[in-house]
């Protein structure tokens, strides 16, 4: 079981150092868990990168939209069980 926090999950949406290793976690061979607030934390990271000038407004909006696509939501459900869920 691997605990994934937002610093890893954000690499699934925004290209940055360590992206390849983060994406490899999604291959389905690892049991992954995350904090219950992971989506909120990833959203905050995207906003922070926009404010710091690392993302354009258009790119930030695209990444928000990617998080809302049904297949990504089901991927989160498939690979993650929120800590504390029964």
């Amino acid at each position: 079981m691997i605990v994934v926090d937002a610093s890893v999950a954000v690499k699934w949406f925004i290209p940055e150092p360590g992206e390849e290793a983060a994406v490899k976690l999604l291959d389905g061979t690892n049991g992954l868990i995350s904090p219950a607030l992971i989506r909120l934390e990833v959203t905050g990271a995207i906003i922070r990168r926009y404010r710091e000038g690392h993302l354009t407004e258009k790119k930030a909006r695209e990444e928000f939209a990617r998080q809302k696509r049904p297949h990504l939501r089901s991927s989160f459900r498939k690979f993650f069980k929120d800590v504390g869920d029964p």
Side-chain angles (χ1 to χ4, degrees):
M1 192 66 59
I2 298 173
V3 178
V4 177
D5 71 0
S7 67
V8 173
V10 75
K11 291 169 176 41
W12 299 332
F13 300 97
I14 299 173
E16 60 182 33
E19 173 187 11
E20 290 179 19
V23 170
K24 285 181 184 180
L25 292 173
L26 294 174
D27 68 5
T29 61
N30 300 297
L32 303 178
I33 59 173
S34 69
L37 297 175
I38 192 141
R39 288 184 189 94
L40 181 62
E41 292 172 341
V42 170
T43 298
I46 292 169
I47 291 169
R48 184 172 51 255
R49 282 162 181 79
Y50 164 70
R51 287 183 180 164
E52 292 171 348
H54 300 290
L55 292 175
T56 64
E57 180 179 348
K58 179 182 178 187
K59 180 68 173 169
R61 289 181 183 274
E62 288 171 357
E63 297 313 320
F64 288 131
R66 281 185 59 200
Q67 290 186 70
K68 294 179 181 179
R69 290 183 188 157
H71 71 278
L72 289 175
R73 284 198 304 262
S74 63
S75 292
F76 272 105
R77 283 190 215 109
K78 178 179 177 185
F79 293 111
F80 290 96
K81 295 184 187 273
D82 288 337
V83 174
D85 281 354

